[in-house]
Amino acid sequence: MEKKKKIEIRDLSVLYGGEEALRHVNLDILEREIMSVIGPANSGKTSLLRTLNRLNDRVSNAKVRGEILIDGQSVYKKILPDVLRRRMGMIFALPIPLPLSIYDNIAYGPRVHGIHQKSVLDRKVEESLQEAFLWDEVKDRLNLPAMKLSGGQQQRLCIARALAVEPEIILYDEPCSGLDPLSTAKVEETMVRLKSRYTQILVTNNTKQAARVGERTAFFLMGELVEVDATDKIFTVPTDKRTEDYVSGRFG
Amino acid sequence: MESARKPWNRALEFLIERAIFFAGIISIFFVILIFVFLLKEGVSLLKTYPLKDFIFGQKWYPISEPPSFGVVPLLLGSLAVTMGAIVIAVPLGMGAAIYIAVVAPGWLKEILKATVEFLAAIPSIVLGFIGLVTLVPLVKQVFHLTTGLTAISGSIMLAFMAMPTIVSMMEDALTAVPRSYREGAIAMGATKWQMIWRVLLPAASSGMLAAIMLGIGRVIGETMAVLMITGNAARIPTSLFQPVRTMTATIAAEMGEAVQGSDHYFALFAIGIVLFIITFLINLAAGFFIGRAHHK
Amino acid sequence: MIRISAKWTERIAFFFLLVSTLIIIIPVILITVMIIQKGLPAMNLEFLTESPRLGMRAGGIFPAILGTVYLVLGTMVFALPIGILAAIYLSEYARDNWLTRAIDLAIVNLAGVPSVVYGLFGLGLFVIFLNFGTSILAGSLTLAIMSLPVIITASREALGTVPQSFREVSLALGATRWQTIRRVVLPNALPGIMTGTVLALSRAAGETAPILFTVAAFYLPKLPQSVFDQCMALPYHLYVIATQVPKIKPHVQYGTALVLIVMVLVMNLSAILIRAHFRKKKHW
């Protein structure tokens, strides 16, 4: 069955000052797929994510050209940034728990969106933590400061926190760069299990991780999308020589 | 999850963000407002009293008949006291800043810094009072004067009061010099003092100039202490051992008696304009040096 | 010519550095000791709770203490909200453009305007133009404008120490800018803001020149009843009894100075404690 297009990126260019971070990118992301985005440093991967959820708006010299559509709606013309970001959770490179308790971290999003009823919040916190496979580890100490958790737990807390606002899309910006292999495995497992419900974009430096998790993989180089295809094709029979060099570890 | 956020929240946020913006630019508004109000009252003097006589007039006799409102003696009074204060404060302050920043061991450093901060916290009226009962008799005795209420007493007092500004800012400037500069010099066999003299001081010069500028600004604007200990004689000073009167002290001393709407009242505002402009320029200069220090 | 070895040059130089430091530090200690020593004998319940009598030579200084408390509170009421909002603008909204540079310049200059000029301004605007008269309202407003640059600068710095990543997390969860500020940035910057504000207020408490023509009264037979009344204030009271009341006993003067210093120091100390307390609790 053909999957529906969730995000359509049309001729997208991003500039910081005079520097081009992305150049004429065209890419579709399908509903409920995991799209891995790989490429060496400065290839524009992170810029892509921050343009998708408009965190780039904060950078005063950032300029965006082209079009991004979500469910056919223009991100920059038709949707308020906070509404957009709520539909699009983001997990950052390092786990960033807010200086609050575990409970309050998860409840932060729902509260921001106007939910204050204790019973509803309790349910949301539990559901989200369960979805991120953290519930069993923290259910007895929800009032503990989130900073006290281990790195891997913190990152799954961040995932749970993002899930608590019921996004449709989750963006991961090198989510395991600070984690040990065991924690990484747990985070990856979480992503795979979330596949049935969310569209996920995983930016990673780790080609093996991209191969393990992604259904499709996009390879970026110096701001350009070089190639996008099914993950096993990218890693076994890429069409572009540069992709082959990268995935075989010849540079980057 | 249906959005429980109510539409009026957005309107409220819009209003809050407007308020934030207005609060943000309010500083500009106040600077202009201060200038406008000084100008509004000060310029009224010119209706009856020529500008030339205010700026170049050498006599300040506000209540004689006819009065003269020459700002020169007051301006020179301020200048004399300020110059005296800076001559005293800069070398001492610099010495102390270097000592605190580089020489003093860690525990002593904290104590010294705390003491300087404590000095900054003492209200100037208290220092003025102490100066009046200790410094003034001391100056009289040491220099064999008929009165200790002189420009030099004011200079000493103001030098002391400017110390926190000068010492803390210079200390910051010295501390801000990258460690590698210092270590490089020491590694090449220089003594600590050679390192200070040849590396640290040149590298921190912009910040230290800014400190001096702000010190001058602090001194020239100080009111109560000079009012209490400089003797308040509005005549052109010929030596630091005479009583003088500064612009600030004149305003503070005479505004209480000046009849609102009289020439005397307007003249005091005109002095305020002069003060405002002088401090504005000094701060501009300080800002320039601070900017240069940051760009390095 | 005698060549002095580098080691000896250093010793001599360091000796002079130490001497300059001592020239600054020793008077501070002497002044403190003197005020405490000569002011303590004046301290008793009457001094702190009664009105002055016999032309300020006897009785207490309660009206002046109360007046200063009123002025500090008044200053806080006006300066704190505006100061915090202004700092929020500069830290969270302002972009790097000419307007921001103009604001920076204005703040630096407000900080440098002599306090007596604030007094003139307060007289011109609040007392006469807005017709508040010499009153607690006019004095508080004048002190508030004078305190603004300090509060803005300190608050802005405090906001700046909150990691950018906290803001991004909050925004990424769909919070608006203001929600992010209110729920994440402000709570984490609050200790710094409080420290700066208390320091600014302690300075305002000790100022004389700005209140000279806007609020301070030489002597009032009764306590102020409303914000449109004049009040006595500690710094001005000290000025009066130090210069205009002949044959006054020194311990009354020193006692007044001591009370003023203690008030200012208590504020400073609490600022330091706030800072220390929260620094310990900080997690990032």
Side-chain angles (χ1 to χ4, degrees), chain B residues 85-235:
Chain B
I86 290 306
V87 167
I88 301 167
V90 169
L92 284 180
M94 204 154 150
I98 298 172
Y99 187 80
I100 294 173
V102 193
V103 184
W107 60 272
L108 183 58
K109 188 177 173 145
E110 291 312 311
I111 294 176
L112 294 175
K113 279 172 80 166
T115 314
V116 172
E117 270 180 48
F118 171 64
L119 174 58
I122 302 177
S124 64
I125 188 78
V126 172
L127 292 174
F129 163 62
I130 297 293
L132 183 65
V133 293
T134 58
L135 181 65
V136 169
L138 191 71
V139 166
K140 178 180 165 173
Q141 208 183 3
V142 169
F143 297 106
H144 305 291
L145 304 170
T146 48
T147 172
L149 298 166
T150 56
I152 188 75
S153 318
S155 293
I156 296 171
M157 195 70 235
L158 288 179
F160 189 54
M161 295 170 78
M163 277 316 171
T165 311
I166 294 181
V167 174
S168 327
M169 275 198 67
M170 283 194 177
E171 203 247 331
D172 285 347
L174 290 168
T175 316
V177 176
R179 275 209 94 73
S180 56
Y181 282 37
R182 304 192 197 185
E183 281 158 5
I186 297 289
M188 284 164 66
T191 62
K192 215 171 180 181
W193 172 246
Q194 285 169 329
M195 179 275 289
I196 293 169
W197 191 246
R198 293 186 196 152
V199 178
L200 213 49
L201 289 182
S205 60
S206 288
M208 298 182 81
L209 280 172
I212 294 174
M213 282 301 163
L214 290 183
I216 295 175
R218 171 93 177 78
V219 167
I220 214 162
E222 173 50 44
T223 310
M224 298 318 285
V226 287
L227 175 62
M228 291 165 90
I229 64 183
T230 57
N232 288 319
R235 57 161 187 249

Side-chain angles (χ1 to χ4, degrees), chain B residues 215-283:
Chain B
I216 295 175
R218 171 93 177 78
V219 167
I220 214 162
E222 173 50 44
T223 310
M224 298 318 285
V226 287
L227 175 62
M228 291 165 90
I229 64 183
T230 57
N232 288 319
R235 57 161 187 249
I236 294 178
T238 52
S239 108
L240 281 180
F241 297 98
Q242 291 173 347
V244 292
R245 168 172 260 185
T246 65
M247 294 185 287
T248 50
T250 306
I251 298 173
E254 295 178 8
M255 188 49 96
E257 292 139 36
V259 179
Q260 188 194 316
S262 67
D263 278 357
H264 188 192
Y265 172 89
F266 294 137
L268 294 175
F269 273 92
I271 298 176
I273 300 175
V274 176
L275 264 175
F276 183 87
I277 292 172
I278 291 176
T279 47
F280 190 90
L281 293 177
I282 290 172
N283 281 300

Side-chain angles (χ1 to χ4, degrees), chain A residues 80 82 86 113 115 124 166, chain B residues 1-6 10:
Chain A
L80 285 169
D82 51 284
R86 189 178 150 195
H113 298 293
I115 295 174
K124 282 232 170 288
E166 298 178 14
Chain B
M1 181 170 71
E2 83 293 351
S3 184
R5 200 189 274 157
K6 293 172 190 69
R10 283 207 188 273

Side-chain angles (χ1 to χ4, degrees), chain C residues 16-37:
Chain C
F16 279 106
L17 296 183
L18 178 62
V19 169
S20 6
T21 312
L22 291 178
I23 292 177
I24 299 168
I25 298 299
I26 289 173
V28 181
I29 297 166
L30 289 180
I31 290 172
T32 317
V33 170
M34 192 169 142
I35 292 175
I36 294 174
Q37 205 178 34

Side-chain angles (χ1 to χ4, degrees), chain A residues 50 55 57-58 60 82 85-86 88-90 92 96-99 108 111-113 116 147 161-162 165, chain C residues 92 95-96 164-177 179-181 183-184 188 283-284:
Chain A
R50 298 173 73 90
L55 268 186
D57 290 13
R58 288 164 50 75
S60 55
D82 51 284
R85 292 184 194 125
R86 189 178 150 195
M88 214 187 273
M90 184 159 188
F92 296 85
I96 306 165
L98 295 172
Y108 181 85
R111 280 182 178 142
V112 155
H113 298 293
H116 295 287
M147 307 262 183
R161 186 175 59 192
V165 296
Chain C
E92 310 295 318
R95 304 208 150 191
D96 187 13
Q164 284 298 332
S165 58
F166 287 4
R167 296 177 177 81
E168 297 200 333
V169 162
S170 171
L171 290 171
L173 288 168
T176 59
R177 240 159 139 179
Q179 284 177 319
T180 300
I181 292 165
R183 289 168 180 267
V184 177
N188 286 300
H283 302 293
W284 66 84

